[in-house]
Amino acid sequence: MSYRRRPLIEPRRPIFFGCEGQCETGYGALLAGFADDAGIRVHLEIVDLAPAGDPLARVEKAEARIAHLRRRRGTFAEKFILLDGDQKAENPQRTAQAIALAARLGIALVWQEPCHEALLLRHLPGRAAARPPTSQAALQALQNEWQEYAKPMTRVDLTPRIDLAGALRAAAVEPDLTGLLRAIGLINEEA
């Protein structure tokens, strides 16, 4: 009697994806969906870091979550946290500590300038260069382009307006986002 070998299934490369809240978790699920659609063997471990507070508190919470997940699932190939850039000025000393801690932990910070809604706005056709000065202005600008937008948006809510082409459009003007999409495999190493 002979046994047939099962084909080897390539394991998914684990990536830690820390988020400020539910808006970013929906966005993370959207990016994971793009990877699945492209046949990319990656797993985004999407972790809501709310209500941690400022960037330092979020990086510290991510450190604890990563340590906990490491015991259960092993190490992450890459680690990212999405953070609103408007929080940097609120406490520059804690922001500097967050940046230093993230660097020590090998976590790449993806600064959304000034906030998540501004980042989403840059995904829309013709809006990649949009730079609203405040979070409120960003929300208003996004709602002007997308009347149905309401926080928080799930992957299903985002899908009708945000596609992979939009993510690549935003990444073209957002170096931090470029790094994230490259790590996921949505941007080729040469790009």
Side-chain angles (χ1 to χ4, degrees):
M1 179 191 302
S2 67
Y3 292 97
R4 293 177 64 188
R5 283 188 163 214
R6 288 186 177 181
L8 292 176
I9 298 174
E10 180 185 348
R12 291 181 180 267
R13 199 165 54 83
I15 296 176
F16 180 85
F17 187 88
C19 305
E20 283 197 353
Q22 292 178 331
C23 293
E24 288 87 352
T25 60
Y27 183 71
L30 182 72
L31 295 179
F34 294 157
D36 285 344
D37 292 346
I40 299 168
R41 304 286 303 162
V42 67
H43 168 71
L44 264 62
E45 183 70 40
I46 302 168
V47 177
D48 187 344
L49 301 172
D54 69 4
L56 179 58
R58 286 192 171 93
V59 173
E60 290 170 341
K61 189 170 183 178
E63 179 181 25
R65 278 298 283 157
I66 290 166
H68 173 75
L69 291 167
R70 186 180 315 122
R71 288 191 295 273
R72 291 185 18 220
R73 298 187 185 161
T75 60
F76 289 99
E78 308 263 358
K79 298 173 280 224
F80 293 87
I81 301 175
L82 271 66
L83 296 168
D84 287 348
D86 62 358
Q87 293 185 357
K88 288 189 255 183
E90 291 177 15
N91 190 330
Q93 182 178 3
R94 285 183 61 82
T95 297
Q97 291 172 323
I99 292 168
L101 178 59
R104 186 173 59 76
L105 298 171
I107 299 172
L109 301 179
V110 178
W111 292 103
Q112 305 172 107
E113 298 293 346
C115 64
H116 185 63
E117 284 71 29
L119 181 69
L120 290 179
L121 179 64
R122 291 189 277 280
H123 285 67
L124 302 179
R127 303 297 290 168
R131 294 284 169 187
T134 66
S135 295
Q136 186 57 39
L139 178 60
Q140 187 60 56
L142 183 60
Q143 288 175 330
N144 288 344
E145 298 287 328
W146 185 357
Q147 288 78 27
E148 302 83 19
Y149 180 82
K151 296 169 89 167
M153 297 289 269
T154 66
R155 174 186 175 184
V156 171
D157 298 327
L158 293 169
T159 299
R161 290 300 302 268
I162 307 284
D163 58 9
L164 179 56
L168 297 175
R169 189 169 32 252
V173 297
E174 294 292 335
D176 293 345
L177 183 60
T178 299
L180 172 61
L181 297 186
R182 185 171 283 129
I184 292 171
L186 295 170
I187 294 177
N188 295 331
E189 288 298 319
E190 302 84 46

